[in-house]
Amino acid sequence: MLNFTKIRNFMQIDILPVLDALGIKEVNEASSTGKVWSSNAQKNVHAIISPVDGKEIASIRFSTSSDYENTVLKAEEAFRTWRTWPAPKRGEVIRQLGEALRQNKADLGKLVSYEMGKSLQEGYGEVQEMIDICDFSVGLSRQLYGLTMHSERPFHRMYEQWHPLGIVGIISAFNFPVAVWAWNMAIALVCGDVCIWKPSEKTPLTAVACQHILQKVFEANAVPEGVSCLLIGERSIGELMSNDKRIGLVSATGSTRMGKAVGAAVGARLGRSLLELGGNNAIIISKDADLEMSLVGAVFGAVGTAGQRCTSTRRLIIHESVYDTFRDKLVNAYKQLKIGNPLDEKIHVGPLIDKYAVDAYLSSIEKCKAEGGNFVVEGGVLQGKGYESGCYVKPCIAEAKNDFEIVQHETFAPILYLMKYKTLDEAIAMQNGVPQGLSSAIMTLNLREAEQFLSCSGSDCGIANVNIGTSGAEIGGAFGGEKETGGGRESGSDAWKAYMRRQTNTINYSDKLPLAQGIKFDL
């Protein structure tokens, strides 16, 4: 449901060759087929602004409720055929998608960086995550195992099998504009589901590019029209998905506020939701930590993607005996950070996504100061040449308390809070003492501390690491968190079960019909 009316060149990146290489041109595009399904393509057009330079990249037509209905009908029709394809054959399609992504990694990575604002290396890394999940899903296509159980009745066999759910609605966020979609899409398609993707309205171009790459693979394999659809629009599209009984699973990534609304709507119709929401992630720096290694993990965790990862490090809980030393190391490291155009590979920190994010950053700084926070590295908005978009901010560090109201909330910006602890029990209580429960870490060379942190009385997060930071995750493990993070799991391990329905089967191969529990029913 796309209509480009403008595509321009800018000094920061020669965007036209990139878009052209990805198949994006000044034409009416499709949600899933290359055809425009709306009768009026000139209405509801929105500008796409890059936070890198504040310039308009293109304009795009947002989907309507009519577009949504047409897409769901097409997806329902496609599901009836796609579910009958053998899983390994579906896996072969995903294998070819992974190869196509490898061929387009450089161009797609540049577009991710320019449209979203993350560093070029992180843009490439995000595309690599897509490739990795395709590789994982190819293997998964031959491992959708069920169980066989012994029946209490003679000459009976019991087993479990898994069937596809149907339509999976995917709502993704701007900070990982393509990888999180791929986590869901690759596994869902291998499981026999079909997908409808609503990307963030702040980063739709990368979604269009992915749809082009995907569509070429589908056409080469005669995949039914409507197996993977794209709807670009505002919150209303997500609301339609959440309230639609035809959507078997809604997988939503975003803020806790958004997730509560999605969860309530899906729950009201007894549907399934997979929620990946906010994080308020901490690293415990032990007195037995390797401080140099800890410094790398803390700085990247706090400033990577300009603090706009759900796994970004928000809090450092530092043992009192090494507090001053580690704080001084952090301050010195922050002095060396390079902030600017993320397409320059020497740059560490790019812009925030938009002016609203900048306002939230500034507001959080003021709230921290009002509660008594002491900034050892001051924040602020950068101005002048190279910062014309107004979205570049200084990563900052504040000495704070865990019970500050602002510390209890997630601010999607590079603000890091420091706090002291005396005992490990105290540190773990501080780490757990926030509403969110996504990622956590401890830096220690003490085996007892590491094991306590990973025990049932340790971290209450979905991800708990030792001697690595909170930010980033490998696709082989299930990704997700607890408490207000939503409880969902995506990507590796057995996360595929969320995309399927379980069925228990019993086969009687005798000439009698014995009843369970020894019940007698003689006629």
Side-chain angles (χ1 to χ4, degrees):
M1 312 309 181
L2 318 172
N3 178 36
F4 289 92
T5 58
K6 301 174 184 175
I7 295 179
R8 300 176 179 172
N9 264 318
F10 298 116
M11 62 180 181
Q12 302 285 8
I13 177 176
D14 190 6
I15 194 68
L16 279 175
V18 172
L19 296 174
D20 186 63
L22 295 170
I24 303 175
K25 305 177 188 299
E26 294 186 71
V27 294
N28 290 338
E29 301 293 350
S31 66
S32 67
T33 63
K35 302 170 186 175
V36 176
W37 291 344
S38 175
S39 59
N40 193 334
Q42 297 306 313
K43 291 185 178 181
N44 204 21
V45 174
H46 295 253
I48 307 166
I49 307 298
S50 169
V52 174
D53 52 19
K55 301 295 182 64
E56 182 179 335
I57 312 172
S59 61
I60 192 166
R61 186 179 65 80
F62 280 9
S63 302
T64 65
S65 58
S66 176
D67 297 329
Y68 173 83
E69 183 61 27
N70 288 335
T71 300
V72 172
L73 292 174
K74 184 60 67 175
E76 283 188 309
E77 180 182 350
F79 174 63
R80 287 189 284 271
T81 301
W82 181 244
R83 66 186 174 184
T84 67
W85 284 38
K89 186 177 179 182
R90 298 192 295 253
E92 169 59 18
V93 175
I94 298 302
R95 185 195 68 78
Q96 292 179 32
L97 174 60
E99 291 302 310
L101 289 169
R102 284 181 171 89
Q103 295 168 12
N104 289 278
K105 179 178 176 178
D107 289 322
L108 186 54
K110 287 178 184 177
L111 185 57
V112 167
S113 179
Y114 185 60
E115 186 179 32
M116 184 268 154
K118 63 175 59 178
S119 73
L120 187 57
Q121 289 301 317
E122 290 182 89
Y124 292 150
E126 181 164 353
V127 181
Q128 186 61 48
E129 283 194 47
M130 302 173 73
I131 295 167
D132 292 343
I133 198 63
C134 286
D135 289 349
F136 178 90
S137 299
V138 173
L140 178 64
S141 70
R142 295 180 183 271
Q143 300 182 74
L144 299 174
Y145 298 134
L147 298 173
T148 299
M149 292 78 73
H150 288 278
S151 173
E152 67 185 48
R153 291 168 285 186
F155 305 107
H156 282 60
R157 181 165 68 89
M158 292 178 62
Y159 68 95
E160 287 181 346
Q161 61 179 334
W162 294 83
H163 294 302
L165 277 176
I167 303 175
V168 173
I170 303 169
I171 302 172
S172 61
F174 73 86
N175 59 330
F176 281 85
V178 293
V180 173
W181 164 72
W183 286 3
N184 286 273
M185 173 276 303
I187 291 179
L189 293 192
V190 160
C191 289
D193 299 315
V194 299
C195 299
I196 298 175
W197 179 21
K198 183 220 167 292
S200 170
E201 63 270 26
K202 298 178 181 180
T203 52
L205 272 181
T206 46
V208 176
C210 289
Q211 191 69 12
H212 273 279
I213 295 168
L214 183 72
Q215 204 57 40
K216 288 181 180 178
V217 174
F218 279 10
E219 290 170 358
N221 289 272
V223 172
E225 181 182 317
V227 164
S228 182
C229 305
L230 174 65
L231 287 167
I232 292 175
E234 296 177 313
R235 186 174 62 183
S236 59
I237 297 298
E239 291 172 345
L240 288 170
M241 278 187 185
S242 300
N243 289 286
D244 193 338
K245 292 182 179 180
R246 297 169 295 180
I247 309 296
L249 169 70
V250 177
S251 177
T253 304
S255 68
T256 297
R257 176 189 56 78
M258 180 275 286
K260 287 180 177 179
V262 170
V266 176
R269 60 177 175 86
L270 298 181
R272 292 195 194 184
S273 59
L274 194 166
L275 303 176
E276 297 289 357
L277 311 176
N280 195 345
N281 316 296
I283 301 177
I284 297 172
I285 309 294
S286 163
K287 66 180 185 303
D288 296 320
D290 180 327
L291 295 187
E292 296 304 319
M293 185 170 67
S294 302
L295 185 66
V296 175
V299 173
F300 176 73
V303 308
T305 322
Q308 297 174 113
R309 292 182 175 218
C310 53
T311 55
S312 289
T313 305
R314 311 288 177 200
R315 299 172 293 143
L316 287 185
I317 303 169
I318 308 169
H319 192 271
E320 59 183 7
S321 66
V322 296
Y323 181 89
D324 290 344
T325 299
F326 196 72
R327 178 198 58 201
D328 293 345
K329 286 179 177 291
L330 277 170
V331 170
N332 184 59
Y334 269 51
K335 291 177 182 177
Q336 301 173 52
L337 292 175
K338 296 181 177 63
I339 307 168
N341 178 4
L343 292 157
D344 181 346
E345 295 191 32
K346 297 179 182 178
I347 292 295
H348 300 113
V349 184
L352 295 179
I353 186 64
D354 56 25
K355 298 287 185 64
Y356 297 104
V358 173
D359 290 343
Y361 159 85
L362 293 172
S363 176
S364 296
I365 289 174
E366 292 307 311
K367 288 178 181 177
C368 183
K369 289 180 177 179
E371 291 189 73
N374 173 46
F375 278 80
V376 296
V377 175
E378 291 287 347
V381 181
L382 294 171
Q383 298 176 339
K385 187 176 181 181
Y387 305 125
E388 290 85 357
S389 70
C391 295
Y392 292 88
V393 302
K394 299 176 185 177
C396 56
I397 303 174
E399 295 178 311
K401 294 182 178 179
N402 204 54
D403 59 0
F404 282 5
E405 183 180 1
I406 190 59
V407 175
Q408 291 285 307
H409 290 84
E410 178 189 43
T411 301
F412 236 45
I415 304 174
L416 181 63
Y417 302 112
L418 309 185
M419 49 204 75
K420 294 180 184 179
Y421 78 92
K422 292 184 179 181
T423 68
L424 183 58
D425 286 341
E426 178 189 5
I428 290 173
M430 293 168 67
Q431 136 69 38
N432 294 344
V434 293
Q436 309 83 2
L438 179 53
S439 187
S440 59
I442 186 171
M443 296 293 187
T444 183
L445 301 180
N446 184 316
L447 179 62
R448 289 178 176 175
E449 287 189 331
E451 290 295 337
Q452 182 178 343
F453 180 73
L454 299 177
S455 74
C456 61
S457 57
S459 170
D460 65 359
C461 293
I463 298 170
N465 298 325
V466 176
N467 291 328
I468 62 172
T470 64
S471 187
E474 295 184 36
I475 58 91
F479 179 89
E482 301 300 323
K483 302 188 295 189
E484 287 194 359
T485 300
R489 292 298 185 273
E490 296 172 326
S491 192
S493 185
D494 66 349
W496 60 270
K497 293 179 179 179
Y499 304 86
M500 303 193 82
R501 59 181 176 88
R502 188 197 308 251
Q503 185 181 80
T504 301
N505 308 113
T506 305
I507 299 173
N508 176 6
Y509 57 95
S510 74
D511 59 359
K512 296 180 176 59
L513 185 60
L515 302 178
Q517 292 85 46
I519 294 173
K520 302 294 184 180
F521 188 72
D522 296 325
L523 293 176

